[in-house]
Amino acid sequence: MIQNFKNSGYEIVDFDEKADIYVINTCTVTNMSDRKSRQVLRQAKKKNKNAIVVACGCYVQVAKSEIEKIQEIDLCIGTNEKADIVKYVEDYERNRNFIELENILYDAKFDEFGSVTYTEKTRAVIKVQDGCDRFCSYCIIPFARGKVRSRNPENIIKEIVQIAKNGIKEVVITGIHIASYGKDFENGYKLIDLLEDINNIDGIERIRLGSIEPLLISEEFVNRLKKLNKICHHFHLSLQSGCNETLKRMNRSYNIEEFDEIVQRLRNAYDDVILTTDIIVGFPEESEEEFSKTYEFLKKIKFYKMHIFKYSQRKGTIAADMKNQISGDVKEERSKKLLELSDSNENEYLDTYIGKEVSVLFEEQDGKYYKGHTANYINVKIKTDADVSNQILKIKITGKDNLSLLSEDVIK
């Protein structure tokens, strides 16, 4: 959306500055995100009472009645209309009437933005897929995003070729449920086929996968994937719980035994693989025994890092009506315990890298240091006077600072 505004001659300013147009891209994954979305929408009008305030994204899509109560909003745009945001804003500016677009959740095709979108100086995020049809019992996203829609692979390749020409070395392949990529195609073209095609693009040196469904990691998938020299050895496998009983209530499509096999499959394929995950604590009916099973399973798997979420009741989901909702105090206690385990795992991993040589894509300057990431997504800082931004350099790790690795110089 930012790129489309830029292409139309608009100046982009920070949200804290006075602007003529404020665009708030809302989230609805938790009750907290709903509340924050409402707060920010109201804040925008206070900055400039004559500004056009645009609400878009998932919260707009699923909470029509709540959005209509926020008087500060001028224009509502659903998840599939973002590509035409400039047109809608300019139409509103001419007419100055509240425009409400119809819900078109079930469009059959992927919504093409039609231009290269950069997220950072050294990395571009490529959205290849939208929608989800898994309907996990806690999740509102399928209702906000609709059914699976895969982006035309020719358009993806064309965009990444342009990105490479502009000097970007790393692409992140993402979507709502990228394991479903190609499910709506009739020719059998799947995510692994797309990754093989991207791997052949000159100039791109790293291909990173966003969050993936564990069951994507079949033997065939891994055997083909490990032949691709540009794939980053970092995989974010969305586990959610380490207890089979909890996973069943969540309507997840795997059990912990299958997940364990998937982890071993990846560790056998890559010596330096880094695994991260998401965990929900305090899911309805999660007993102390179930949480204990999750904790022990996580100790066994030993993820590099875990993102811990306290279960949030989402109206319209099956889990919202389940009995035995867990209290906030219990969720807080369980969250704290898993965060401590995550920090401990991360520190242990980092200690194993001290004295080793690693390749780092440096991204930005931070005081006396340049910051970047290894291919398996470990934070690294190097103290140097040279400008090393957007360069992949080999360095020797000499220590660590908090949860980052440190180096004093580039290996010549």
Side-chain angles (χ1 to χ4, degrees), residues 318-369:
I318 293 173
D321 296 323
M322 287 181 177
K323 297 178 181 178
N324 300 324
Q325 298 285 330
I326 308 301
S327 72
D329 290 344
V330 173
K331 292 178 190 176
E332 185 66 34
E333 181 183 338
R334 292 175 182 175
S335 174
K336 184 179 178 182
K337 191 172 182 180
L338 292 188
L339 286 169
E340 289 173 352
L341 177 61
S342 180
D343 287 347
S344 175
N345 287 351
E346 191 169 356
N347 271 304
E348 283 188 39
Y349 268 104
L350 294 181
D351 286 341
T352 66
Y353 277 84
I354 295 175
K356 290 185 178 179
E357 295 179 4
V358 296
S359 292
V360 179
L361 173 57
F362 288 100
E363 296 150 17
E364 61 182 350
Q365 193 169 14
D366 181 16
K368 296 179 180 179
Y369 291 91

Side-chain angles (χ1 to χ4, degrees), residues 258-317:
E258 291 170 321
F259 191 92
D260 195 11
E261 288 180 12
I262 289 163
V263 167
Q264 299 313 315
R265 194 170 291 149
L266 285 171
R267 286 177 170 163
N268 289 336
Y270 304 106
D271 292 337
D272 62 343
V273 70
I274 288 287
L275 302 177
T276 55
T277 195
D278 299 320
I279 299 293
I280 296 173
V281 296
F283 190 74
E285 301 180 35
E286 183 187 58
S287 64
E288 285 297 333
E289 182 183 0
E290 287 187 1
F291 175 72
S292 179
K293 288 180 180 179
T294 290
Y295 187 84
E296 292 305 317
F297 185 70
L298 295 175
K299 280 179 66 177
K300 173 187 174 183
I301 296 297
K302 211 160 192 174
F303 290 99
Y304 167 63
K305 186 181 291 188
M306 300 183 290
H307 302 290
I308 312 301
F309 299 91
K310 289 170 277 192
Y311 169 73
S312 178
Q313 216 169 343
R314 303 301 295 120
K315 184 179 178 182
T317 63

Side-chain angles (χ1 to χ4, degrees), residues 89-115:
V89 167
E90 291 179 347
D91 285 349
Y92 174 82
E93 194 168 19
R94 282 191 292 270
N95 300 315
R96 280 284 166 173
N97 292 316
F98 186 93
I99 300 173
E100 179 183 55
L101 300 174
E102 292 299 317
N103 183 322
I104 55 171
L105 271 177
Y106 298 105
D107 271 7
K109 295 181 180 179
F110 182 90
D111 180 34
E112 288 285 352
F113 275 73
S115 62

Side-chain angles (χ1 to χ4, degrees), residues 2 14 60 65 92 97 135 138-139 142 148 158 162 164 166 183 212 218 270 317 351 358 363 366 393:
I2 287 174
D14 189 82
V60 174
S65 60
Y92 174 82
N97 292 316
F135 291 94
Y138 53 82
C139 187
V148 171
K158 182 179 178 182
Q162 182 60 45
N166 283 278
K183 182 179 180 181
I212 51 179
S218 64
Y270 304 106
T317 63
D351 286 341
V358 296
E363 296 150 17
D366 181 16
L393 301 171

Side-chain angles (χ1 to χ4, degrees), residues 362-396:
F362 288 100
E363 296 150 17
E364 61 182 350
Q365 193 169 14
D366 181 16
K368 296 179 180 179
Y369 291 91
Y370 267 92
K371 299 190 300 185
H373 288 89
T374 61
N376 55 4
Y377 214 57
I378 295 177
N379 290 311
V380 178
K381 297 194 296 187
I382 184 171
K383 194 173 183 180
T384 178
D385 294 327
D387 182 355
V388 296
S389 59
N390 200 30
Q391 296 183 52
I392 297 178
L393 301 171
K394 184 171 282 190
I395 64 172
K396 186 173 183 178

Side-chain angles (χ1 to χ4, degrees), residues 22-35:
Y22 292 93
V23 179
I24 292 83
N25 194 22
T26 64
C27 175
T28 192
V29 73
T30 66
N31 285 329
M32 179 66 76
S33 60
D34 285 356
R35 187 163 72 248

Side-chain angles (χ1 to χ4, degrees), residues 161-188:
V161 167
Q162 182 60 45
I163 285 169
K165 288 180 180 178
N166 283 278
I168 299 296
K169 292 182 170 62
E170 180 179 312
V171 290
V172 184
I173 306 305
T174 189
I176 297 301
H177 191 267
I178 60 173
S180 296
Y181 180 82
K183 182 179 180 181
D184 50 330
F185 293 157
E186 295 181 357
N187 59 4

